[in-house]
Amino acid sequence: MATAPRIIATFLLLSVCTFPAASAQRAETNYDESKVPSYTLPDPLIAEDGQVIDTASLWWEKRRPEILELFEREVYGRSPGRPESMEFQVTSVDDQALESTAIRKEVSVLFTGEPDGPKMDVLIYQPAAAEGPVPVFLGLNFFGNHTIRDDPGITLSQQWMRPNRELGIVDNRATEASRGANASRWAVEDILAAGYALATIYCGDLDPDFDDGFQNGVHPLFYRPGQQRPDPDQWGTIAAWAWGLSRAVDYFETDPQLDAERVAVMGHSRLGKTALWAGAVDPRFAIVISNNSGCGGAALSRRRFGETVARINTSFPHWFCENFKKYNDNEDQLPVDQHQLIALIAPRPVYVASASEDRWADPRGEFLAALHAEPVYQLLGKPGLGTDQMPPVNTPVGHTIGYHLREGRHAVESYDWQQYLNFANKHFFGK
Ligand code: GCU
């Protein structure tokens, strides 16, 4: 199999010189391509026992479960399944939303079946004119459902929020001023006009984004008697957020207006890491979209460019499972790298988007992860990325794996949404 030598050769070309991988002192953030250390990626098509994976059945039966297990145990942590007593409660429907162009629904997912118990609230906009079930873009949001659109009909979130005065968050709570505060990140009109529904959930409904030792959020719902926090191989916050995305699909499966077989999960940044993990663990996500997800998302950890494993585990100790901290300044010992996360999504379409000024997220590392997932797509009969050249800005490339480098900063912009809509149109409808 030519995969391993090709991977190494590509990196030798990209790595002019090396610097020590692990040093007692934490390295400064590296933004210099010539200082990316040389490294060898784990080959997605060579099993732990050295067996070459050269058939689809070996991938499905042997290698994929092996890689999934490694990501669960060492990176994101293992998640529970669907709670048995979970129930759905439609809390509002307005069929004349957005000047009668949309139906707006709010649905509470009651994790214990109790209306006063732990829950997440899903906001759904769907095209008013749709006949039959519509495909869905699903994504978590950072500051509450009411921030995606200045629409007084959306319930204002009561949950804890990270501080952000500019977005109208005061004393860790949303205020009326935060309505529509993140609207620029959500191309609601374009999504609806293209015939898709948009569903979103505040990530803090699942787990507020701070390190409290996993006392709030959904984790305690699943503790064994006496358990105080997740075991080293059990879910962190990103896995809990991803778990919530799967619970939204559980709801879609019950709603005849939504096409649960055509759900595209999309996320930005920490929520892009989450979208990738959700897509890896739950095959019901038919398309997976990572927007500027960076370290612990689409970017290769071994490159140590921009944010590193040690940095992310220090700033956000709750995002990954405890075992992931073993790889702080120790990336070469990781049994996986992020190209294999993308490979877990194969043969389903996956889109990775970078932004040219977003060096912290390592755009080249995101491109390379997409590239090195390709052998798995090819093994499963799909064309993958179709190029080994990182494209110039604003030039989308790819087939079953899509990629673009948008000009500009770390954000979700209408340019990004336009590419995601094109990608979904192509893969869902052959348009
Ligand atoms: C920080 C963090 C990133 C993350 C980003 C975000 O910059 O270091 O890993 O992607 O926040 O979620 O906006």
Side-chain angles (χ1 to χ4, degrees):
M1 207 60 220
T3 315
R6 202 187 76 179
I7 289 179
I8 295 165
T10 310
F11 296 135
L12 289 177
L13 277 176
L14 290 166
S15 318
V16 180
C17 68
T18 63
F19 70 74
S23 58
Q25 283 243 294
R26 185 143 301 154
E28 291 293 298
T29 304
N30 179 40
Y31 289 128
D32 181 347
E33 192 60 37
S34 74
K35 291 193 176 137
V36 170
S38 61
Y39 56 90
T40 307
L41 288 181
D43 191 321
L45 294 180
I46 298 186
E48 295 290 283
D49 64 4
Q51 184 177 8
V52 173
I53 304 301
D54 54 5
T55 65
S57 59
L58 273 172
W59 168 255
W60 290 115
E61 281 151 34
K62 179 162 181 164
R63 185 60 171 149
R64 188 181 187 281
E66 202 170 77
I67 295 174
L68 184 60
E69 156 73 15
L70 289 170
F71 273 106
E72 284 184 322
R73 197 182 71 209
E74 304 293 323
V75 183
Y76 302 99
R78 302 178 201 283
S79 299
R82 171 189 172 137
E84 268 173 29
S85 47
M86 188 172 85
E87 282 185 28
F88 309 113
Q89 189 180 40
V90 178
T91 56
S92 77
V93 180
D94 178 356
D95 55 14
Q96 295 185 339
L98 307 183
E99 288 161 1
S100 298
T101 60
I103 300 172
R104 181 195 344 95
K105 273 187 222 164
E106 293 178 303
V107 180
S108 292
V109 178
L110 310 173
F111 298 132
T112 58
E114 301 294 328
D116 298 333
K119 61 167 184 157
M120 65 177 194
D121 295 327
V122 190
L123 166 69
I124 302 165
Y125 280 121
Q126 55 193 68
E131 284 169 26
V134 287
V136 186
F137 276 95
L138 169 67
L140 297 170
N141 63 68
F142 283 73
F143 289 101
N145 295 344
H146 62 275
T147 59
I148 78 150
R149 178 84 205 187
D150 186 4
D151 174 349
I154 304 174
T155 304
L156 194 78
S157 175
Q158 303 296 317
Q159 295 290 344
W160 183 95
M161 311 264 163
R162 286 176 82 88
N164 195 321
R165 281 221 158 250
E166 211 182 308
L167 296 183
I169 311 301
V170 178
D171 296 334
N172 299 106
R173 301 286 155 184
T175 64
E176 284 293 327
S178 61
R179 285 194 182 279
N182 259 337
S184 69
R185 287 189 175 173
W186 299 89
V188 177
E189 260 87 23
D190 294 344
I191 294 168
L192 292 170
Y196 294 83
L198 172 64
T200 189
I201 304 148
Y202 171 47
C203 64
D205 282 6
L206 292 144
D207 195 16
D209 192 5
F210 68 98
D211 182 21
D212 74 331
F214 300 102
Q215 299 312 301
N216 60 20
V218 291
H219 296 88
L221 285 177
F222 297 90
Y223 286 160
R224 303 178 294 270
Q227 189 177 6
Q228 298 294 324
R229 58 177 298 134
D231 295 340
D233 66 344
Q234 287 183 328
W235 55 343
T237 293
I238 288 176
W241 291 338
W243 177 89
L245 290 166
S246 288
R247 304 292 70 83
V249 182
D250 294 341
Y251 167 73
F252 301 159
E253 287 175 340
T254 70
D255 185 334
Q257 296 178 323
L258 303 174
D259 183 350
E261 290 183 2
R262 290 200 179 101
V263 178
V265 63
M266 178 274 181
H268 169 59
S269 208
R270 68 198 68 184
L271 303 178
K273 310 180 206 298
T274 306
L276 287 170
W277 182 235
V281 291
D282 189 339
R284 294 176 300 172
F285 292 111
I287 292 180
V288 180
I289 301 164
S290 150
N291 191 91
N292 306 179
S293 62
C295 181
L300 293 174
S301 299
R302 279 171 173 75
R303 277 173 50 82
R304 290 153 264 201
F305 186 103
E307 188 171 30
T308 61
V309 171
R311 288 292 292 270
I312 205 166
N313 278 332
T314 306
S315 313
F316 304 98
H318 54 298
W319 280 0
F320 299 87
C321 72
E322 201 57 30
N323 278 340
F324 194 46
K325 296 185 178 138
K326 293 190 289 191
Y327 307 101
N328 289 354
D329 297 319
N330 191 24
E331 288 85 350
D332 291 318
Q333 294 308 311
L334 268 166
V336 286
D337 212 318
Q338 301 303 109
H339 61 308
Q340 290 164 298
L341 176 65
I342 297 172
L344 286 174
I345 297 163
R348 289 167 289 148
V350 61
Y351 200 105
V352 174
S354 309
S356 61
E357 291 164 18
D358 188 18
R359 296 185 309 162
W360 182 241
D362 187 12
R364 178 169 292 277
E366 295 182 315
F367 172 77
L368 290 173
L371 174 63
H372 294 301
E374 184 173 76
V376 177
Y377 278 79
Q378 287 173 339
L379 181 71
L380 301 178
K382 297 285 181 183
L385 197 59
T387 174
D388 58 7
Q389 296 301 309
M390 189 167 172
V393 291
N394 299 348
T395 312
V397 292
H399 298 284
T400 318
I401 304 175
Y403 178 84
H404 72 245
L405 174 67
R406 176 182 41 74
E407 189 170 19
R409 64 195 178 94
H410 182 74
V412 195
E413 298 191 351
S414 62
Y415 178 87
D416 301 306
W417 274 110
Q418 207 46 62
Q419 311 321 313
Y420 306 151
L421 286 165
N422 291 345
F423 192 70
N425 284 343
K426 181 167 85 181
H427 290 289
F428 282 158
F429 302 110
K431 289 200 242 175

